[in-house]
Amino acid sequence: MWDSIWINAHLATLRLGKYGVIRRAALAVEQGRIAWIGARADLPGEPAQLAREVHDCEGRWITPGLIDCHTHLVYAGNRAREFELRLQGASDEDIARDGSGITSTVRETRDASEMELIRASSARLKNLMDEGVTTVEIKSGYGLDTATELKLLRVARLLGASGAVTVKTSLLGAHALPPEYQGRADAYVDLVCAEILPAAAEAKLADAVDAVCDSGSFSAQQTQRVFAAARALRLPVRMHADQFSDSNGAALAARWGALSADQLEHSNEAGVRAMAEAGTVAVLLPGMHFFLRQKQLPPVGLLRSHGVPIALASDCNPGSSPSGSILPMLNLACTLFGLTPEEALAGVTCHAALALGLGATHGTLEAGKVADFALWNIEAAAELAYAMGGNPCAGVVKRGVEVHRPD
Ligand SMILES: [Zn+2]
């Protein structure tokens, strides 16, 4: 007998990156895994005789639990004042004089207690879970010193401790230059490689290592030093690449076998081809693109023609994507980047799972995979990308157990 069975539902399985619709379907769960999936008419008996619990979905849709594979959601404070100042006409110098910008987030995050960070971050995480998210990646990167980077990763681990959402952490020490290292980027990279990375690895707080490689951030050479240190600690890498200029970031990420290369607005074809060969996933961030009113579109046509899986993420962060919301990213990816609604949904399910190294267990509805899924009050899967706002999520199921129902 199965533990539970979910009937009277339409499924978007997302197998092979397609909707993979099964209408009038049934989905059975055994020990937290999907045990059986198919048309209800093909069930080998009556639901009540096959499973201890029967859930009638009343014609709702079920998709894999959504996966937000790129967030910076653990931070203190916010940058609403800076947003307002800019729209009142303040210059970069005015903003700097006001003490705003990333430095203000670093200062507030260093000053915040773990409890304060948990409170602020869990509110943001709840928003994501309300929208069907069952797995989230969380980066450090607002500490920029050993103690605070570890504090952020500990908070991220605690956010996942209840099991209602899976949290994968990335150490992003190489996010920006902290104020005390201005003009001494190489010395800061030394600190990241020699102290922050080993400390995070020792405490088992990092599932991956991230770096920002771009003009105005860390150079290719500095990024490679961080990646070499990660490799020595057997940690996979991912990378913020080519946001403001073509710095061959996509190719660099591929050369290091990165799980993902993220942003990619200015990436070139050789880099995209290298990503395809390396199996590096492209993570696009339409919220940031929108918020910063960027003009250069990511090379979606090249990613498609070379067969690079495209994932989408909220990029939840106070400076360039103050959004604790994943569903609007599907709409923005379609309207701004020209993705199809099917590609957008794949971007927050199966392809996002690949970006986190979870492709074998998460991201699609298939027998044997972890039974993480979301229920939706929709008539067709495309509605998830079509709607601008609103939340049709009717419930979130984690390892076969309903853990969350939006208010
Ligand atoms: Zn980011």
Side-chain angles (χ1 to χ4, degrees):
M1 244 194 160
W2 294 317
D3 291 337
S4 61
I5 188 161
W6 304 70
I7 57 167
N8 204 4
H10 306 301
L11 308 182
T13 64
L14 273 300
R15 267 198 75 212
L16 307 171
K18 303 294 179 195
Y19 282 142
V21 171
I22 309 176
R23 287 186 179 273
R24 288 169 292 282
L27 185 161
V29 176
E30 178 67 33
Q31 294 191 337
R33 301 254 172 179
I34 297 173
W36 190 94
I37 186 168
R40 181 183 168 167
D42 296 335
L43 269 177
E46 281 306 306
Q49 271 127 41
L50 294 168
R52 279 177 280 276
E53 256 177 48
V54 180
H55 300 266
D56 183 348
C57 300
E58 300 171 333
R60 293 190 176 89
W61 280 72
I62 296 179
T63 67
L66 304 191
I67 297 173
D68 193 350
C69 65
H70 180 140
T71 84
H72 307 245
L73 74 75
V74 179
Y75 60 86
N78 69 55
R79 308 247 282 276
R81 177 176 164 76
E82 174 185 333
F83 180 69
E84 185 161 46
L85 285 173
R86 279 190 195 283
L87 285 163
Q88 288 168 342
S91 65
D92 283 346
E93 294 78 61
D94 296 334
I95 301 285
R97 210 173 309 120
D98 189 63
S100 302
I102 189 169
T103 319
S104 70
T105 302
V106 170
R107 189 177 56 241
E108 288 186 81
T109 303
R110 285 177 174 177
D111 288 347
S113 70
E114 259 176 63
M115 201 36 100
E116 287 164 337
L117 286 168
I118 288 171
R119 208 173 302 125
S121 312
S122 48
R124 291 189 276 269
L125 185 57
K126 179 183 175 297
N127 263 336
L128 291 173
M129 292 166 72
D130 279 351
E131 294 182 341
V133 169
T134 51
T135 298
V136 62
E137 185 259 13
I138 300 177
K139 304 175 194 302
S140 66
Y142 291 115
L144 309 180
D145 63 33
T146 308
T148 316
E149 286 295 302
L150 265 55
K151 177 172 74 174
L152 298 183
L153 294 175
R154 267 198 309 276
V155 167
R157 283 274 191 253
L158 284 168
L159 292 173
S162 78
V165 62
T166 297
V167 171
K168 298 291 273 183
T169 57
S170 299
L171 175 68
L172 180 56
H175 187 197
L177 211 50
E180 63 274 18
Y181 278 89
Q182 283 311 316
R184 296 191 295 134
D186 279 318
Y188 178 63
V189 172
D190 287 344
L191 176 79
V192 170
C193 296
E195 194 175 309
I196 303 181
L197 256 70
E202 166 83 34
K204 297 198 171 5
L205 288 171
D207 298 319
V209 172
D210 197 343
V212 181
C213 178
D214 215 321
S215 52
S217 297
F218 295 95
S219 68
Q221 198 254 343
Q222 288 160 345
T223 301
Q224 297 197 81
R225 284 174 57 209
V226 174
F227 284 180
R231 182 174 282 174
L233 295 164
R234 294 204 167 82
L235 288 170
V237 297
R238 62 181 74 257
M239 186 175 146
H240 290 65
D242 300 330
Q243 180 188 3
F244 296 111
S245 62
D246 178 4
S247 43
N248 282 316
L252 191 153
R255 199 175 325 128
W256 286 83
L259 286 170
S260 70
D262 305 31
Q263 297 178 324
L264 301 177
E265 272 83 348
H266 291 83
S267 294
N268 57 50
E269 181 159 15
V272 170
R273 193 182 307 117
M275 284 175 66
E277 283 161 8
T280 297
V281 176
V283 178
L284 306 185
L285 307 175
M288 178 206 66
H289 191 91
F290 174 77
F291 193 80
L292 297 182
R293 291 188 288 174
Q294 290 199 285
K295 297 287 181 286
Q296 179 75 32
L297 294 170
V300 168
L302 289 176
L303 295 169
R304 280 180 184 140
S305 63
H306 288 282
V308 176
I310 300 173
L312 302 175
S314 72
D315 191 25
C316 174
N317 80 73
S320 61
S321 191
S323 167
S325 225
I326 189 80
L327 290 174
M329 302 306 149
L330 279 71
N331 180 272
L332 289 173
C334 294
T335 53
L336 297 177
F337 299 164
L339 262 62
T340 65
E342 187 175 51
E343 287 174 321
L345 188 54
V348 293
T349 53
C350 52
H351 293 163
L354 290 176
L356 297 182
L358 296 173
T361 49
H362 292 72
T364 64
L365 300 177
E366 288 178 82
K369 286 216 172 171
V370 172
D372 286 1
F373 49 89
L375 289 95
W376 305 97
N377 291 316
I378 53 175
E379 304 289 325
E383 286 176 39
L384 295 176
Y386 162 71
M388 294 176 69
N391 180 16
C393 185
V396 181
V397 175
K398 189 78 187 154
R399 295 191 168 272
V401 177
E402 183 158 11
V403 288
H404 191 70
R405 196 171 288 193
D407 303 331

